[in-house]
Amino acid sequence: MLAYPESAGGADDMGAFVAVFETLAHHDLSLLVKFGVQFGLFGGSVQHLGTERHLDVLRRAGTAELLGCFAMTEIGHGSNVREIETTATYDAESREFVLHSPSETAGKNWAGNAARHATMATVFAQLHVGEEHHGVHAFLVPIRGDDGRALPGVRIADNGAKMGLEGVDNGRIWFERVRVPKDALLDRFARVSDDGEYESPIPSDTKRFFTMVGTLVGGRISVGTAGVSVAKSALAIAVKYAIRRRQFGQPGEPEMKIMDYQTHQTRLMPQLARTYALHFAMRDLLERYRTATAEGEDLQAVEARAAGLKAYATWHGRDTLQVCRECCGGEGYALVNRIGAFMNDFEIFTTFEGDNMVLVQLLTRGLLSGYRRQFTNMDFFGILRFAKDWAQQKVEGINPMSGRSTDAETLRSRDHHLHVLHVREQQLLSSVAARLKKRLDAGLEGVDALNQVQDHVVSTGLAHVERITYEAMCDGIDACEDEALRARLDLLRALYGVHCLMEHRAWFLENGYFQGTQSRAIRDEFLALCAQVREEASALVEAFAVPGAVLAAPIAVSPSGHS
Amino acid sequence: MLAYPESAGGADDMGAFVAVFETLAHHDLSLLVKFGVQFGLFGGSVQHLGTERHLDVLRRAGTAELLGCFAMTEIGHGSNVREIETTATYDAESREFVLHSPSETAGKNWAGNAARHATMATVFAQLHVGEEHHGVHAFLVPIRGDDGRALPGVRIADNGAKMGLEGVDNGRIWFERVRVPKDALLDRFARVSDDGEYESPIPSDTKRFFTMVGTLVGGRISVGTAGVSVAKSALAIAVKYAIRRRQFGQPGEPEMKIMDYQTHQTRLMPQLARTYALHFAMRDLLERYRTATAEGEDLQAVEARAAGLKAYATWHGRDTLQVCRECCGGEGYALVNRIGAFMNDFEIFTTFEGDNMVLVQLLTRGLLSGYRRQFTNMDFFGILRFAKDWAQQKVEGINPMSGRSTDAETLRSRDHHLHVLHVREQQLLSSVAARLKKRLDAGLEGVDALNQVQDHVVSTGLAHVERITYEAMCDGIDACEDEALRARLDLLRALYGVHCLMEHRAWFLENGYFQGTQSRAIRDEFLALCAQVREEASALVEAFAVPGAVLAAPIAVSPSGHS
């Protein structure tokens, strides 16, 4: 497959892999998930956690000769992977691992490809060697024979009907002392010698765990990118419909295009601007991942960024679908017009590959600790040390001239947006650190302290994501050589920035950065920008270049010349 | 049927009808819609627009001996019913009306029951008698024979697969000069004499039109009530799951119940409070409707209230489902756990029985014009007269003592909330009137003037709905005789009020009603109230009294003693 090394028959091109993912997301999300599970999760786990001895498996995964699934989540543990129950016990005598589900809740859950197609699974389990427990490791376990039946000791159940993604065979898997050879351990970060000696280049259990699950980063980049794709499809459909559909108007005149109503503009145009912003942010993320991987850099910062952008982009995809459905009225509800089908299928993207709420908090903890892996799992004293630094840091104030400005030029300007978004992020980081420190100093348990500021932690993570998304958009615009195109992109940038400021104006007002006059001016500017972007809306959705045969919605077919 | 007069075999009990609707909404939404179309829309149109000569149809509709549908919306016209294309031309010679669809877009659209079951339709069409056009009227038109086939001249097509409500046979209907006898006209508000004289007790075309479509009010009350029911079901499922499901926690301790996480509380508890508030508001609305009907009062104010509450309650239902799905993670996506099924089926409730965006604007125009029907259809000079009064009105300021208060008692108090919500509504009404007046004075066309302040018009309508919802909740609490219960309801009231204030804090800050300190205090109070309501959450969802067999979700089965 495209992303795999050439030694396994791949093209060593992660960018090409994500491009396929991005494109499939315009078409059918069940197919997308089947593709992602087979080549991304299953193959990717072999690629990133395995070694040379697993190259043949990887090669066969890449040609789809070997179909696999990814069995990490359990019935009892979704987000908290470290506490999964499945065990893998080394039997030195036979040089085998024994995979076992000690309870009903230890069953692997929601594994795509498991219910019908996969013959092999990457299974995450607690490794026990002799008396010692070494935490979660991954194993290649055959689960189904060529006849399609579960192998002895393996029990598989279909997860049943879902609200969407009906083309994906999600399943549960339990193991009853299933034996696999020693080579089944994906042993890049830990190996067991024949006589039962455990060794790992990463001595810390916590660090090793996060290094292993860090390999999920590719999936999160892909899933976030799919969020941008569905937003593009939905906006293309809704805008094309809205510039053709007419309803109400001045008596005696043709009815008005619904795209000309202010509420239609204020609903669709900010989503369009954010879609463009995220288009650049996801590209930038992929490039950072490729660079870091190629240069052998530490991936923590990229992982944190991917976690935040996955959450932001999938929430954006979901919200955009929702708004577009409503803007298309009854026609939006017909499956033939695609938006409803996307809604049913896409809904779970905010949960899988990491629950969005959990991912945003992971990002904030990364920000607080300077992306040190050892602190990402509730090591509060570690976090505290860094929190102290943050808490003591003097946050730069907003330039009074800029904060008090009400003229359109300033309110739309890149410098103003960058400055204000940056100040907000720093201020939130600093105050969350201070509040955390206060609670820990007062003797509160780490979990409780963090829980009392959880709302704040989430806002902080999202503030960071908005700032980096905005920056990536600016960089993308700077790299654009066509002047006319740059001007249009800059209009979208202005709307994205003004919309961010407007959404957080309560915070800016509360903290004295804005006065009421600025806040009202920002809202007026927002309305003006929506109207201005609306004039370009038709061209801006055409630019997504989703072919008509792929977009396929009958309501999106517009006679030429409409705008 | 329950709501029909006794003379048609009914029980004359609208309350009982809505209670059935409310209850069915906990079970299956396709069945609910089939029920609503047959007895509410079809039967209701005969009841409210017909006369004694239609009693037999009404009786047979009530026993489901005669299955019907409601054909108002057309392919080309959804919200703008006044511009539908279907014509009904009186033929004095044969004493018949000729129903005709002059174009493809004149086809009736999305009519439930039409694609398969209905043998008769209430068809809305432009009435032409001789040379004169009298606007939209309703006719009873047989569309299908006992053999299930469309009658001659009638063409019926299925609307096709939808994102939900797959148990509803929505269809399109076109007429090719179909003749019906003179009695087919539902003639409560207009009749045609044998020799072709048109007469109506309501001389104004506009007023007559709005009087006729005003009969939709029952449907809007029912649909809004269903929004509250789905919110109750979803919250019962999500809360029961969240008090049992554990994930993460302090090392060495049992993992934490997810209900104890702050983000879980801030997501679910405000929805719970608003659900209770809307429970009282929908009851209050129904009571107003019954009283007004029984006493022969004008229904305009009730219609406007129903329009606003239908929008608010269905958006609430949708948002609650969304939040609950996400709070249940992957389990929320399984159809067996109901929330996903409700999402697919409920999504369109924000569009049907009146698009929410349109309904909220209808309400605001009603507020501006003092609920005068003649101004609800874009008579801007009429609205302007009232807008002037509003624009000149001195809006009461917020009591500085109360607006500047940061103590918990004041911030939670009923007086404070009522006062603040009232001031916000009045201020928005007054400023939207002033802005409208300014534009009309400057010579802008009415449609354009209204469109430039549309965003503001929507905020104004929603501010009104929040205030009346809050008031209805207070009245409901006052009427509760159990002191312990009253205290619990009062806690929900406090949360609902504080949440409203928090959501609009940018507006209050912008307009100088709150300072930053109050705004921050409100957020702290919000967090405290969420934690406090969480302690009662289990009992509060049990109180919805949805039987386990109806709730049915496996994740909602909790061993006793959990909370």
Side-chain angles (χ1 to χ4, degrees), chain A residues 22 31 63 79 186 211 454:
Chain A
E22 181 180 9
L31 178 61
T63 59
S79 294
L186 293 172
T211 303
Q454 199 180 19

Side-chain angles (χ1 to χ4, degrees), chain B residues 263-487:
Chain B
T263 53
H264 231 70
Q265 293 169 9
T266 54
R267 283 188 289 176
L268 293 175
M269 296 303 103
Q271 301 302 125
L272 185 61
R274 201 196 283 132
T275 300
Y276 267 90
L278 274 166
H279 169 93
F280 290 112
M282 295 313 298
R283 269 201 193 182
D284 171 80
L285 171 64
L286 177 61
E287 203 44 48
R288 282 169 194 265
Y289 174 74
R290 289 169 63 175
T291 308
T293 313
E295 297 177 6
E297 286 172 17
D298 232 333
L299 283 175
Q300 285 95 316
V302 173
E303 280 167 37
R305 186 177 274 256
L309 278 168
K310 182 272 180 182
Y312 190 55
T314 53
W315 272 328
H316 169 70
R318 181 196 68 191
D319 292 345
T320 304
L321 288 169
Q322 180 68 63
V323 157
C324 290
R325 202 299 292 158
E326 212 165 328
C327 283
C328 292
E331 295 305 322
Y333 198 63
L335 285 189
V336 72
N337 287 322
R338 310 284 315 284
I339 295 173
F342 278 132
M343 286 179 80
N344 293 358
D345 290 342
F346 188 73
E347 219 286 321
I348 197 65
F349 280 57
T350 57
T351 296
F352 69 29
E353 297 282 327
D355 177 272
N356 282 2
M357 268 295 174
V358 175
L359 292 182
V360 172
Q361 295 177 60
L362 210 66
L363 166 63
T364 306
R365 284 193 244 171
L367 294 172
L368 285 173
S369 67
Y371 304 116
R372 279 161 182 81
R373 269 200 224 283
Q374 57 269 38
F375 302 132
T376 42
N377 188 41
M378 308 249 169
D379 175 351
F380 294 97
F381 294 100
I383 289 183
L384 181 55
R385 188 149 45 90
F386 290 91
K388 262 187 193 151
D389 295 348
W390 275 111
Q392 283 158 5
Q393 194 178 317
K394 176 114 185 70
V395 175
E396 175 188 15
I398 289 184
N399 178 331
M401 288 303 285
S402 157
R404 297 290 141 89
S405 187
T406 56
D407 68 289
E409 198 183 336
T410 306
L411 291 181
R412 291 179 178 211
S413 82
R414 184 192 284 208
D415 285 352
H416 181 58
H417 296 169
L418 279 172
H419 179 62
V420 166
L421 291 175
H422 180 76
V423 168
R424 176 160 188 266
E425 178 191 351
Q426 297 300 307
Q427 167 88 299
L428 282 169
L429 256 172
S430 149
S431 68
V432 81
R435 295 176 65 195
L436 205 50
K437 180 178 175 317
K438 190 175 117 194
R439 284 167 175 76
L440 291 169
D441 285 349
L444 223 62
E445 294 281 8
V447 172
D448 296 332
L450 202 61
N451 194 31
Q452 286 187 10
V453 300
Q454 199 181 20
D455 194 60
H456 201 136
V457 165
V458 170
S459 305
T460 305
L462 289 173
H464 174 78
V465 176
E466 274 182 2
R467 197 258 302 161
I468 62 173
T469 299
Y470 190 86
E471 283 181 354
M473 187 181 203
C474 291
D475 292 344
I477 294 172
D478 289 344
C480 169
E481 291 177 4
D482 180 323
E483 199 170 332
L485 178 55
R486 214 162 52 228

Side-chain angles (χ1 to χ4, degrees), chain B residues 66-86:
Chain B
L66 174 69
L67 298 178
C69 67
F70 184 80
M72 178 184 267
T73 294
E74 294 180 356
I75 296 168
H77 289 89
S79 294
N80 191 5
V81 175
R82 272 193 103 174
E83 300 294 327
I84 56 171
E85 298 174 66
T86 306

Side-chain angles (χ1 to χ4, degrees), chain A residues 445-458:
Chain A
E445 294 281 8
V447 172
D448 297 331
L450 202 60
N451 194 30
Q452 285 186 11
V453 300
Q454 199 180 19
D455 194 59
H456 201 135
V457 166
V458 170

